[in-house]
Amino acid sequence: MAPLARETPLARDSSAPPGVYLRISSERFGLEAGVDRQLEDAEDSRARLRWGPFAKIYRENDTSAFKKRKVVKAHGSIGWTVLRPEFRQLLADLAHGVIDGVIFYDLDRLVRQPRDLEDLIRPAV
């Protein structure tokens, strides 16, 4: 498991609790066993780091971080985008101080596009 906090990877000096991000790209049967295993590993990492309990669990089962889907935009045009609503919520929660760090299984579970990593490093307010 990999921790990420704003100050340093291991030291957190914040009253805001951490979050945990769990993602499996393809899970045909909907059992969520993969994300459940990731959560168990994240809990172990959180305890080892002596971080407080998770404020939020961001769970994206059967969600690709790479495949784009066709969407109809508000003004009627059609575009292609990667749909990861829990990741977007994680970024918003980081920006608003709901969480102040995130634990994730592996970097490739969290980000696949350079822009996602940029957004994570500097969440917009």
Side-chain angles (χ1 to χ4, degrees), residues 99-110:
I99 61 171
D100 191 41
V102 62
I103 291 179
F104 48 93
Y105 184 75
D106 194 64
L107 188 59
D108 75 348
R109 298 294 86 205
L110 186 64

Side-chain angles (χ1 to χ4, degrees), residues 18-101:
V20 60
Y21 182 78
L22 316 167
R23 186 180 65 79
I24 295 292
S25 300
S26 178
E27 214 281 70
R28 294 180 293 173
F29 303 108
L31 301 175
E32 299 195 13
V35 290
D36 288 343
R37 282 191 301 273
Q38 288 181 12
L39 181 57
E40 290 172 12
D41 289 347
E43 287 287 1
D44 291 343
S45 293
R46 184 196 55 73
R48 187 182 73 254
L49 294 166
R50 297 187 199 139
W51 286 11
F54 293 125
K56 289 183 91 172
I57 297 173
Y58 305 89
R59 186 182 280 261
E60 290 189 313
N61 192 54
D62 197 24
T63 302
S64 173
F66 186 72
K67 291 181 188 172
K68 293 184 177 184
R69 299 177 193 247
K70 186 169 30 171
V71 296
V72 178
K73 298 181 180 182
H75 58 279
S77 69
I78 295 175
W80 293 87
T81 189
V82 175
L83 298 176
R84 295 176 59 203
E86 290 294 308
F87 180 72
R88 292 290 149 211
Q89 185 62 55
L90 178 143
L91 293 176
D93 290 347
L94 272 171
H96 293 99
V98 174
I99 61 171
D100 191 41

